[in-house]
Amino acid sequence: MSDTWVTLVGNAATGVDYRDSAAGGVARFRFAVTARYWDRQKESWADGQSSFYTVWARRALATNLAGSVSIGEPLLVHGRLRIRDEEKDGQRRFSADIEALAVGHDMTRGTSAFRRVVKGDPALTRRSVTEGHNSADSHGDLSTVPAQGRGER
């Protein structure tokens, strides 16, 4: 089975929720992608419908995300698209997850300063991964990720 790789441009809709695990760090955040279109009547660009994705990251990417990304920041996310099909309260629901391979700031909308992380040097992260990034939200907790999504086999 081949994977579906996507690259999305949008904004961080939530803060990064970071957790340590036996296999390394795991991080998750919600990502909003809003379509833009040309409104002929107004003769200007307008926002269309927004789509929301849950972005998952592991190991070093997870740690670096927790120290680098805040709500509202413009990002590019590249990774594997996974569609989840669940039944909840008798209704079938679908959600889209991205298993991130790479995440970066969108430089068309601002500047960013890259800092290479030296393993074991927490002073090089912009924010501590424990500052406000560990709260559970309405999107479930990290323990609900299927084993294949956590890198376990």
Side-chain angles (χ1 to χ4, degrees), residues 74-115:
L75 301 172
L76 283 87
V77 174
H78 178 71
R80 289 181 186 93
L81 176 65
R82 300 281 192 233
I83 304 298
R84 286 189 292 149
D85 178 6
E86 303 173 330
E87 191 167 320
K88 189 173 185 179
D89 300 327
Q91 291 196 345
R92 197 170 177 185
R93 297 177 186 225
F94 295 91
S95 61
D97 291 355
I98 307 296
E99 293 179 19
L101 175 66
V103 177
H105 287 103
D106 182 353
M107 303 301 229
T108 63
R109 297 171 49 200
T111 62
S112 186
F114 179 79
R115 287 175 307 280

Side-chain angles (χ1 to χ4, degrees), residues 36-83:
R36 302 272 297 163
Y37 68 94
W38 180 256
D39 186 333
R40 290 183 187 178
Q41 293 175 343
K42 295 179 183 176
E43 294 188 7
S44 64
W45 287 97
D47 287 339
Q49 194 79 14
S50 293
S51 297
F52 291 87
Y53 302 85
T54 301
V55 177
W56 294 92
R58 305 236 174 333
R59 299 174 192 80
L61 178 57
T63 304
N64 293 340
L65 278 173
S68 302
V69 173
S70 297
I71 296 173
E73 291 184 346
L75 301 172
L76 283 87
V77 174
H78 178 71
R80 289 181 186 93
L81 176 65
R82 300 281 192 233
I83 304 298

Side-chain angles (χ1 to χ4, degrees), residues 23 58-59 146-153:
R58 305 236 174 333
R59 299 174 192 80
Q148 72 209 37
R150 292 195 307 259
E152 300 171 7
R153 300 271 182 241

Side-chain angles (χ1 to χ4, degrees), residues 136-152:
D137 60 20
S138 62
H139 307 294
D141 68 35
L142 293 174
S143 64
T144 63
V145 181
Q148 72 209 37
R150 292 195 307 259
E152 300 171 7

